[in-house]
């Protein structure tokens, strides 16, 4: 039996918090804002949101097993590549509470202008 889900259904779920989440994505209106601002990223951002919210992570190593391109940025942020490296998503993620919220979303060119940057492995220890 095939499951048919439309983007409208997914976006509706984002608005009404109907989908079951292991990792809670707080303030989903922020995601909807970025979907409107960057329509080219809509499908990939919605897919990321749904896949991410179905995960459980005890720590960054668990997250890295699911998304090898994720990197830590300062202030407890995690950086994700969206839509084949066209866009970047930065979230704050609290592993103990299994809760996250979007800090920033935009193009790689916009990301390069930001003040927070990925931490290198030498900075982590």
């Amino acid at each position: 039996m095939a499951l048919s889900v439309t983007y409208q259904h997914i976006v509706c779920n984002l608005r009404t918090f109907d989908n079951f989440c292991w990792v809670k994505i707080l303030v989903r209106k922020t995601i909807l804002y970025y979907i409107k601002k960057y329509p080219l990223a809509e499908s990939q951002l919605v897919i990321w949101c749904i896949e991410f919210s179905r995960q459980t992570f005890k720590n960054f190593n668990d997250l890295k097993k699911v998304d090898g391109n994720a990197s830590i940025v300062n202030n407890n942020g995690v950086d994700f590549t969206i839509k084949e490296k066209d866009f970047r998503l930065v979230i704050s993620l609290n592993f103990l509470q299994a809760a996250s919220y979007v800090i920033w979303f935009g193009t790689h060119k916009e990301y390069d202008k930001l003040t927070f940057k990925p931490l290198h492995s030498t900075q982590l220890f």
Side-chain angles (χ1 to χ4, degrees):
M1 182 172 158
L3 178 64
S4 175
V5 179
T6 65
Y7 289 118
Q8 290 79 19
H9 175 74
I10 293 169
V11 172
C12 179
N13 282 343
L14 288 173
R15 286 191 187 112
T16 61
F17 295 84
D18 286 341
N19 50 341
F20 178 77
C21 296
W22 287 107
V23 174
K24 296 176 287 294
I25 301 174
L26 308 174
V27 193
R28 293 175 186 236
K29 286 194 305 187
T30 306
I31 293 171
L32 295 173
Y33 166 79
Y34 285 124
I35 285 172
K36 285 184 179 181
K37 185 174 180 181
Y38 299 99
L40 291 175
E42 177 181 0
S43 62
Q44 291 298 312
L45 189 54
V46 168
I47 289 168
W48 176 89
C49 181
I50 290 171
E51 289 179 2
F52 182 78
S53 67
R54 291 180 178 161
Q55 302 294 324
T56 57
F57 305 113
K58 293 179 185 171
N59 53 45
F60 183 72
N61 291 332
D62 286 349
L63 188 151
K64 198 75 167 153
K65 289 175 189 173
V66 174
D67 187 339
N69 291 321
S71 57
I72 297 174
V73 293
N74 54 354
N75 297 325
N76 299 321
V78 180
D79 171 27
F80 295 92
T81 300
I82 306 292
K83 195 177 180 286
E84 299 181 19
K85 300 185 180 187
D86 290 339
F87 295 94
R88 300 290 280 270
L89 171 68
V90 179
I91 67 166
S92 176
L93 178 58
N94 182 319
F95 292 102
L96 294 176
Q97 295 180 352
S100 65
Y101 64 90
V102 174
I103 296 173
W104 183 87
F105 181 78
T107 66
H108 274 270
K109 187 175 182 179
E110 294 167 330
Y111 180 84
D112 291 339
K113 296 177 185 177
L114 297 176
T115 57
F116 53 81
K117 297 293 180 201
L119 296 176
H120 299 289
S121 58
T122 56
Q123 295 173 291
L124 298 174
F125 304 103

